[in-house]
Amino acid sequence: MRSWRLSLLRWLLRAGRASYPLVNLRLARLSFEVMGALFSLAARGPLMKLKAGQVEAEVLDKSLFSRRRVIFYLHGGAFVSGSARTHRHLVRRLAAEADASAVVINYRLAPEFPHPAALEDALSAYRWLLEQNIRASRVACVGDSAGGCLAVALIQRLTREKMALPACLCLFSPWVDLTCSSPSYEARASLDPMITRKLALERARWYAGGKELSDPEISPLKGEFGGFPPVLILVGSHEVLHDDAVALARQLSQAGSNVSLETWSGMFHVWPYVFPFLPEGRRACTRVASFIRSHIP
């Protein structure tokens, strides 16, 4: 049974989407940071700020080098907003349930830093992690939305460069086709309280920086999927990005990968982010943590 809080959140999200034309990028970024800071008040704990390679990062457990499991988290925000701080509460929850440490990076944001800046930052930070004598078999790569896109593109890059892959990959509502051409942008437009095709295309073009949106490093759905580690994909039934998740799962399966796709009824984009308020978000966190523990015993 769906919680009453879900209906309230949908209403609030629709109100926020309606105000989008009145909000500039600077204000949108600030609002995201404030929301993340408020959520993080209820998720305090050990924290180290450092440079992972050339990238500013947070380690959300000082026992990074002794924990059996390490979450390497790539945050969402449509490539133009978000940070380690906006997602600190969510990553802490996942790490606690998975009995893991976690590293969250502040990759460079568009439009100031278009592709390939974010992907290069993710690669640099992942290399740094392995240079700390942390085996790839101890690492779970996790990403939401645009961070899910980066996570998939990162695995594709690691595969091409014949680098050690993480033990598993977990994705919340991944945005992997930045051409924004899937049928669900129309079919689920009236259901999605957050994202429109117009909004998604604007962010996609900022990230691409003049490159083709169909470039496989920008839209990793267009890339190769051989050799991927086990993958868990969670997506809401009310998302315009629903078809991205379905197509990604199909591509992975056809390439021979072990992939689990779960469509959560009635859920909106990256609903686990609001787990402090939403029971369904807490259940999704538990599901992902269980998946991580099963692949990193």
Side-chain angles (χ1 to χ4, degrees), residues 175-291:
W175 184 26
V176 289
D177 182 2
L178 273 64
T179 68
C180 304
S181 56
S182 71
S184 60
Y185 278 96
E186 299 297 330
R188 298 171 194 263
S190 63
L191 298 174
D192 195 318
M194 295 179 64
I195 302 173
T196 65
R197 187 170 185 269
K198 179 180 178 181
L199 173 62
L201 270 175
E202 177 187 75
R203 296 329 199 211
R205 288 169 179 149
W206 285 352
Y207 176 60
K211 297 179 182 176
E212 292 293 330
L213 295 178
S214 57
D215 183 317
E217 279 208 338
I218 293 171
S219 292
L221 186 64
K222 313 292 186 183
E224 300 295 326
F225 290 92
F228 263 60
V231 182
L232 173 65
I233 305 170
L234 271 59
V235 68
S237 67
H238 285 195
E239 295 193 53
V240 295
L241 293 184
H242 174 268
D243 287 1
D244 278 38
V246 172
L248 176 60
R250 181 171 59 248
Q251 293 271 64
L252 286 162
S253 180
Q254 290 173 351
S257 297
N258 175 3
V259 57
S260 298
L261 170 67
E262 298 183 6
T263 299
W264 285 50
S265 178
M267 293 300 109
F268 49 83
H269 188 58
V270 196
W271 72 97
Y273 185 84
V274 291
F275 78 83
F277 189 75
L278 190 67
E280 292 89 342
R282 294 192 287 276
R283 290 197 289 271
C285 290
T286 299
R287 173 68 182 105
V288 168
S290 175
F291 183 84

Side-chain angles (χ1 to χ4, degrees), residues 77-152:
F79 298 105
V80 303
S81 63
S83 65
R85 184 171 68 170
T86 60
H87 284 66
R88 193 180 294 161
H89 68 292
L90 175 57
V91 182
R92 280 200 190 283
R93 176 79 181 207
L94 294 171
E97 294 212 28
D99 190 21
S101 183
V103 177
V104 194
I105 68 169
N106 286 315
Y107 59 82
R108 287 169 290 173
L109 300 175
E112 296 90 342
F113 300 98
H115 177 273
L119 180 56
E120 294 296 339
D121 286 351
L123 181 61
S124 174
Y126 183 79
R127 280 179 172 148
W128 171 86
L129 195 61
L130 299 188
E131 288 167 0
Q132 309 313 303
N133 294 319
I134 295 174
R135 298 189 308 275
S137 60
R138 292 173 53 198
V139 179
C141 186
V142 186
D144 70 275
S145 191
C149 178
L150 282 179
V152 174

